[in-house]
Amino acid sequence: MTQTLSRETEGAQIPAAPESAGLASVLSDFRVLIGRNVKHITRNPEMLLQAVSLPVVLLLLFRFMFGPAINVPGMAYIDYLVPGLLAISIGFNSTTTVVGVAADLTQGLVERFRSMPMFGPAVLVGHVAAGMLRSLVSFVIMVAIGFAIGFRPGGSALGWLAAIGLLVLFAAGVFWLAVLLGSISKTVEGAGGLGMILVFVPYASSALVPTQAMPGVLRVIVDNQPFTVLMDAVRALMNGTPAGGTAWLALVWWGAITVSASFLAVRKFNRRTKG
């Protein structure tokens, strides 16, 4: 008799996984699951194409069609635009993670893992690591294209390192939020819809245009949401302009978001896999 593996559809009780052997076993599980998701990237080049295509199209569109009509005091629009699109591209990449987590939870894969002596949340770590790798590829390509079309940032090497560090923290927060959304989703189709939250929320920020011309209430909201704080800090660090307190504020915001999202994602994942 064929045993149905999906507890989501049949309500079957999945036996508890055997105890792990400790830290070495957990680290080994991380390595295996990260490797699994990286292989998915290398074997599905369309995944990388998706990760890069929309941000590059937006970069070219705003640079050559809308850029001449947008005035940014104190810097060229391309220098303003590129840092914002780097952050937007991370949000765009997160949809793959949302869908991937939901697929693992609803199509029987996690149930198979539960029968093994492994650390269950390693599945989530694998998705987060793969998402950050996709974002790294997108970052390199977008910066290269940016330089080719006029991006000339004036920031120091130290400023760029700080900006990259903030983007790494930001990516970790976004992908843990994506994992949380995937863990909440009941279907893969629903996960695709929830993933759009992380795609479109970054647009309501200072990513593409300065906030000075926005209506009063909208400007207050946009100026004080975590995506804008992050983008303003990265932009200042890359261009060598005063960052004020935005860098520290972005660090606090996204450090808190990353910790909270990872905790909630692991908790939800454990509830769904342990009954």
Side-chain angles (χ1 to χ4, degrees):
M1 178 183 294
T2 302
Q3 181 180 3
T4 301
L5 291 173
S6 176
R7 182 170 51 81
E8 292 289 328
T9 57
E10 297 294 333
Q13 292 298 316
I14 307 301
E19 291 294 330
S20 296
L23 179 60
S25 177
V26 170
L27 293 177
S28 177
D29 293 340
F30 286 165
R31 177 183 59 80
V32 171
L33 271 298
I34 290 172
R36 166 194 175 241
N37 285 279
V38 170
K39 285 180 180 178
H40 286 176
I41 297 174
T42 59
R43 294 174 181 176
N44 295 279
E46 64 271 15
M47 190 180 294
L48 282 178
L49 179 63
Q50 179 185 6
V52 175
S53 58
L54 180 58
V56 168
V57 169
L58 286 175
L59 175 60
L60 297 176
L61 185 68
F62 275 84
R63 170 67 177 89
F64 295 109
M65 292 189 65
F66 302 138
I70 300 175
N71 180 43
V72 179
M75 71 173 64
Y77 180 63
I78 183 65
D79 296 334
Y80 181 93
L81 177 66
V82 170
L85 283 179
L86 291 174
I88 282 181
S89 69
I90 293 172
F92 182 71
N93 283 326
S94 67
T95 56
T96 302
T97 301
V98 180
V99 172
V101 172
D104 284 351
L105 282 166
T106 59
Q107 295 177 0
L109 181 67
V110 170
E111 280 79 358
R112 293 184 179 94
F113 287 155
R114 288 287 299 145
S115 66
M116 304 175 186
M118 67 169 291
F119 182 63
V123 175
L124 307 184
V125 174
H127 280 290
V128 171
M132 295 181 72
L133 178 60
R134 291 195 306 272
S135 293
L136 175 61
V137 174
S138 178
F139 175 91
V140 172
I141 293 175
M142 288 189 64
V143 169
I145 293 176
F147 276 114
I149 62 175
F151 182 43
R152 298 294 182 269
S156 64
L158 185 61
W160 268 73
L161 286 175
I164 292 171
L166 284 178
L167 285 173
V168 169
L169 176 61
F170 172 68
V174 168
F175 285 109
W176 275 112
L177 286 171
V179 165
L180 176 59
L181 292 176
S183 299
I184 292 171
S185 303
K186 299 300 183 182
T187 64
V188 175
E189 294 78 10
L194 283 178
M196 290 297 102
I197 296 173
L198 297 176
V199 172
F200 288 107
V201 169
Y203 287 92
S205 69
S206 63
L208 302 176
V209 294
T211 62
Q212 285 82 351
M214 295 181 182
V217 175
L218 178 61
R219 180 180 177 184
V220 171
I221 295 173
V222 170
D223 279 344
N224 293 283
Q225 59 113 320
F227 288 94
T228 291
V229 172
L230 182 282
M231 292 172 191
D232 288 347
V234 170
R235 184 178 293 115
L237 291 167
M238 285 186 169
N239 285 290
T241 57
T246 57
W248 291 108
L249 191 55
L251 188 65
V252 172
W253 260 116
W254 287 99
I257 289 172
T258 300
V259 172
S260 301
S262 60
F263 172 79
L264 293 173
V266 170
R267 184 179 180 183
K268 180 63 177 179
F269 177 86
N270 286 336
R271 284 183 176 179
R272 288 190 63 176
T273 57
K274 294 180 180 178

